[in-house]
Amino acid sequence: MVKYEANIKKGDVELKVFTKVLSDYFQKLKISVPKELSIKNVQMDSKKVEKGSLFIAINNGNNYIEEALEKGAELIICDKDLDIINSKIIKVSNSIKFLQDIAKIYRENLNIKIIAVTGSEGKTTTKDLIFGVLSHKYKAKKTLGNYNNQIGLPFSILQLDEKDEVAVLEMGMSNLGEIDLLSKISKPDYAIITNIGDSHLEFLINRDNVFKAKTEVLKYLNKNHVLVYGDDPYLKNLDTLKVGFDLKSNFKISDEVEVYEGVHFRLNDEKYFVPLNGLYNAVNASFAISIGKLLGMSYQEIKQSLEKIKITSMRFEKIEKDGILFINDAYNASPVSMEMALKAFSSLPLSRKKIIVLGDALELGEKEIEYHKIILLEALRHSFDKIFIYGQRMKKASEILNNSKITYFAEKSIIRDELNKMENIAVLLKGSRGMKLEEIIM
């Protein structure tokens, strides 16, 4: 089950609106269901099923229906033929399509504001910041982790409580048409596009297509309910609200200063502080402030909430272990986010030696080695004490550059052994999720 941080707990109560939505849905399809349904939660993981659960068997989940029944599932949705005969089991043509359809109808029956966050970089941090601000005043939820695709987003909607006032949902994609589908399901009231970068070029080929994919959300919203990073060359000409450093921005950022604890900045002449490193977090925080303003929050409410913010792990996360300060930014990577992380780490005020460990950035398509070469050139531009790399793409790019400052390692354990030999060091870990560079800390 997707875990949520929220300022209230759902509790073990029947989801009356959802149960009615579910009953009406099956009635229209002329499918019989138990007359006295009492759904308490929705699960896709049989291990999380409990009495009162609706278990939706997605893909391999069809193999765990008996387990779900034993644990007390109220109803089970599957799309495979089974030997089991039980009135609680309903077979549909496609479990994923069912999940999407029922989430769409449930969302339509909720009195809630939904904020969609998309973009090539900074989605999760921006989502965390918006949630942190809005939950100061409203009953709010956000999705955690990477539940942002055609399965994760509708499942996230089904985790909403009927009393929730706001939900912040991240929208991911790997190809054209996916943001459009997620928008149809979630019907967002507000949307944020953080930037247009080089993510998913394996499928989208170029930034023009990334722009087309990310902006599919726009046709579902009033232009005054869309916030974009106005300094992005692809986004600056959109007829939406702009957040950025440009003087023409509706929400103008200025006077940004980074300290060890985070970033001080101004937004439209109001002073703020966000306890996250990297000057780019002034932009991410400004999205949160702007949404808070649009939803009627005061300066003091927003300022106080930002200073107490908590974000998802592995986003420039400081971890002290065995005398080493690790900056764990290893959740994901693209050329743009790696450049931003390198700049942030370089400017971080520290008295320690600075070591960087860079893993492969994945899904970059035919030009992936060229992109990795650009990343390494950016790393060389800064005065880091050591540059360690891991992954075959990084290796191939380094062989082209043939620079003695770059050291390739075939195993993460050897990198950790090398770091343990050093004293008074800070280490930045940055790479795609598949590289799992956080294992160096363990």
Side-chain angles (χ1 to χ4, degrees), residues 408-426:
Y408 167 74
F409 292 86
E411 296 180 23
K412 285 173 276 190
S413 60
I414 300 175
I415 297 176
R416 181 58 195 258
D417 291 342
E418 194 67 23
L419 295 174
N420 286 338
K421 298 175 186 177
M422 305 177 192
E423 294 182 355
N424 194 34
I425 61 172

Side-chain angles (χ1 to χ4, degrees), residues 119-325:
S120 296
E121 285 87 26
K123 292 188 296 294
T124 301
T125 300
T126 300
K127 175 198 67 181
D128 289 344
L129 288 162
I130 293 171
F131 169 79
V133 167
L134 297 182
S135 62
H136 185 82
K137 182 173 183 177
Y138 300 104
K139 296 172 183 176
K141 284 198 177 85
K142 64 168 183 175
T143 48
L144 291 183
N146 60 348
Y147 281 81
N148 61 9
N149 63 8
Q150 63 173 342
I151 296 175
L153 182 135
F155 183 66
S156 298
I157 290 172
L158 296 183
Q159 305 307 301
L160 297 176
D161 188 282
E162 294 149 17
K163 295 181 180 179
D164 289 328
E165 298 170 291
V166 176
V168 191
L169 301 179
E170 185 176 324
M171 286 186 178
M173 62 91 210
S174 58
N175 218 325
L176 293 165
E178 294 179 13
I179 295 293
D180 185 80
L181 172 63
L182 300 182
S183 300
K184 286 177 181 175
I185 294 169
S186 62
K187 289 184 168 55
D189 298 280
Y190 296 87
I192 289 91
I193 306 177
T194 59
N195 75 323
I196 303 298
D198 298 314
S199 301
H200 305 299
L201 294 188
E202 180 180 353
F203 310 103
L204 291 169
I205 311 301
N206 55 50
R207 284 197 187 188
D208 289 345
N209 285 331
V210 175
F211 172 74
K212 290 176 185 177
K214 296 296 185 184
T215 53
E216 287 171 355
V217 69
L218 298 183
K219 68 181 181 181
Y220 295 93
L221 291 157
N222 178 300
K223 65 180 182 180
N224 292 320
H225 285 191
V226 179
L227 295 161
V228 304
Y229 178 43
D231 295 59
D232 187 292
Y234 278 88
L235 300 175
K236 66 180 181 180
N237 294 320
L238 290 178
D239 187 17
T240 63
L241 297 177
K242 307 291 194 308
V243 175
F245 302 92
D246 189 278
L247 291 173
K248 297 179 182 178
S249 296
N250 303 89
F251 297 93
K252 183 183 178 301
I253 307 165
S254 62
D255 299 339
E256 63 278 10
V257 177
E258 183 165 22
V259 295
Y260 180 77
E261 294 77 15
V263 178
H264 295 273
F265 64 99
R266 287 178 179 268
L267 188 67
N268 290 354
D269 296 325
E270 292 178 337
K271 293 182 180 180
Y272 294 96
F273 172 76
V274 59
L276 305 175
N277 287 106
L279 293 176
Y280 53 85
N281 276 314
V283 179
N284 296 334
S286 293
F287 280 123
I289 296 165
S290 304
I291 284 290
K293 293 275 188 182
L294 292 175
L295 290 181
M297 293 184 67
S298 69
Y299 167 70
Q300 284 300 329
E301 286 173 330
I302 295 171
K303 184 174 182 292
Q304 290 171 12
S305 63
L306 267 186
E307 291 172 355
K308 299 174 182 177
I309 216 78
K310 292 180 180 179
I311 64 164
T312 304
S313 61
M314 293 195 282
R315 271 77 172 183
F316 219 83
E317 180 184 14
K318 299 187 185 84
I319 300 173
E320 187 89 32
K321 187 168 184 181
D322 300 330
I324 301 173
L325 174 62

Side-chain angles (χ1 to χ4, degrees), residues 329-334 337-338 358-364 372 430-438:
D329 202 34
Y331 184 80
N332 221 331
S334 69
S337 69
M338 293 184 95
L358 302 178
D360 287 352
L362 306 178
E363 297 183 0
L364 293 179
H372 283 77
K430 186 67 176 175
S432 280
R433 183 82 304 273
M435 306 310 293
K436 298 181 180 179
L437 290 184
E438 71 277 4

